[in-house]
Amino acid sequence: GGIQSPLEQLAKLVRTRTQAPVQVYGKDSFKPDTVFRGKPLVEWLQSLRDADIEGTAQPAKEVLLAMGPKAIPFLVAAQAVLDWTEVQLSFAPRSVVRDMGETAIEPLVRLLGSEHTLYARVILGDIISLHSGWIGRKAPTKEQQQRIDARVVKVTRALKPCLGSADAATRLAALVLLHEVSLVNASPEVWVGIPVGARRLLDKAPRNEVRGAACQLLVFLGFKGVKGGLTLEELQKMARPNKNTKGVDTTLAPEVGQAVLRGILLHMQRDAQKPAPPTGK
């Protein structure tokens, strides 16, 4: 109880950064004049905001989609610093970037250390959760599994360097996004190197928010049988290093303790759902 949500934790770390974020387009300097297909980007953006959807907004969206990754810093900044409440959702910059799909992953990851961390993180979450084939209850076919694994590898490879960032907000954003990816039906082999980086943060990160997010990621990786994830035995030892004590180890940071308890409950729930062994003859 009383622990902030991951997005609230991230917003706090962004506000309290000790080093200057990478500058993209701030409120006082949002005047990009890059020309693409005969018009400056600011004019394409104005068309995107136009109420004449078929005449101006849709063509502008198609142009920005065609520009691809180069337009992403511009679009993320536009989402962050301009008011889009009166614009149809599918024409907001966030939706345009999301519709670029996997090509937007690496440019968005680079923006996690920028002044627009929160928007980059949210749009990455959109891409992870909304593109078909990521999450499903049914067991995928071999071909589907290969496609899912290839997508997950793109995200994990892009986010892996963020775990070693000097910026706590960047580390936290990457961990939270990796946790979202851990919900995907991916093969354990796609997580090479991620558990090592997460364990390093769990042990040594100075911010409890980062340590808690690292623990949460390791809990889910261990639950899915990924090598290097936290096993039930490890979680139980973390919760009660002295078996004679009752309750959870009070020296654990609250964020870490909460993740440990969630992990133990996950294993207990799975054990409870296992069919009972046959009895009698």
Side-chain angles (χ1 to χ4, degrees):
I3 296 177
Q4 293 177 313
S5 70
L7 194 58
E8 290 172 327
Q9 292 175 353
L10 182 58
K12 176 183 175 182
L13 292 189
V14 167
R15 290 194 305 269
T16 58
R17 273 177 166 146
T18 56
Q19 61 185 57
V22 176
Q23 297 296 306
V24 185
Y25 299 109
K27 291 182 179 179
D28 298 327
S29 63
F30 191 75
K31 298 176 182 178
D33 56 2
T34 302
V35 175
F36 186 71
R37 293 192 179 178
K39 289 201 307 188
L41 284 182
V42 288
E43 291 187 23
W44 288 119
L45 185 68
Q46 188 58 46
S47 297
L48 200 65
R49 295 162 64 89
D50 202 308
D52 182 3
I53 292 175
E54 291 186 5
T56 54
Q58 183 61 41
K61 180 174 181 177
E62 291 171 359
V63 165
L64 291 164
L65 287 172
M67 189 176 182
K70 291 182 180 179
I72 288 175
F74 163 76
L75 289 168
V76 172
Q79 182 70 62
V81 305
L82 301 176
D83 181 13
W84 293 89
T85 55
E86 301 299 324
V87 178
Q88 187 172 314
L89 182 62
S90 62
F91 294 99
R94 172 179 175 178
S95 296
V96 178
V97 177
R98 183 196 67 203
D99 290 348
M100 292 182 188
E102 296 165 28
T103 62
I105 291 172
E106 290 190 9
L108 285 169
V109 169
R110 288 195 291 271
L111 290 175
L112 291 178
S114 77
E115 58 195 324
H116 303 309
T117 299
L118 293 173
Y119 284 94
R121 177 261 175 274
V122 167
I123 299 170
L124 275 164
D126 288 345
I127 292 173
I128 290 168
S129 63
L130 294 180
H131 277 263
S132 61
W134 283 96
I135 301 175
R137 292 180 178 274
K138 295 182 180 180
T141 65
K142 182 178 179 181
E143 292 74 18
Q144 288 173 332
Q145 189 67 65
Q146 289 173 342
R147 289 196 296 271
I148 291 170
D149 289 349
R151 290 168 178 165
V152 171
V153 166
K154 286 184 180 180
V155 181
T156 57
R157 284 181 177 173
L159 289 171
K160 182 180 174 182
C162 296
L163 301 184
S165 170
D167 175 41
T170 299
R171 294 196 298 269
L172 180 60
L175 287 166
V176 172
L177 286 163
L178 285 167
H179 174 239
E180 292 180 14
V181 178
S182 74
L183 304 177
V184 174
N185 294 326
S187 302
E189 294 77 18
V190 304
W191 292 96
V192 174
I194 298 296
V196 174
R199 281 188 178 251
R200 188 180 301 116
L201 291 175
L202 174 59
D203 293 338
K204 299 181 179 180
R207 300 295 304 234
N208 287 340
E209 301 94 332
V210 174
R211 296 182 63 224
C215 188
Q216 183 79 343
L217 172 60
L218 289 166
V219 161
F220 272 80
L221 294 183
F223 186 69
K224 291 200 165 190
V226 176
K227 185 178 180 180
L230 286 169
T231 65
L232 176 58
E233 183 180 4
E234 287 178 303
L235 291 169
Q236 290 171 331
K237 286 182 179 178
M238 290 174 70
R240 295 178 63 190
N242 182 351
K243 293 183 179 180
N244 296 324
T245 60
K246 294 182 179 180
V248 180
D249 180 11
T250 56
T251 64
L252 285 175
E255 294 83 356
V256 175
Q258 185 180 74
V260 168
L261 283 178
R262 283 177 177 171
I264 293 172
L265 287 172
L266 271 176
H267 286 277
M268 291 173 62
Q269 288 169 353
R270 180 160 65 182
D271 289 344
Q273 292 169 359
K274 289 180 181 178
T279 58
K281 296 181 180 180

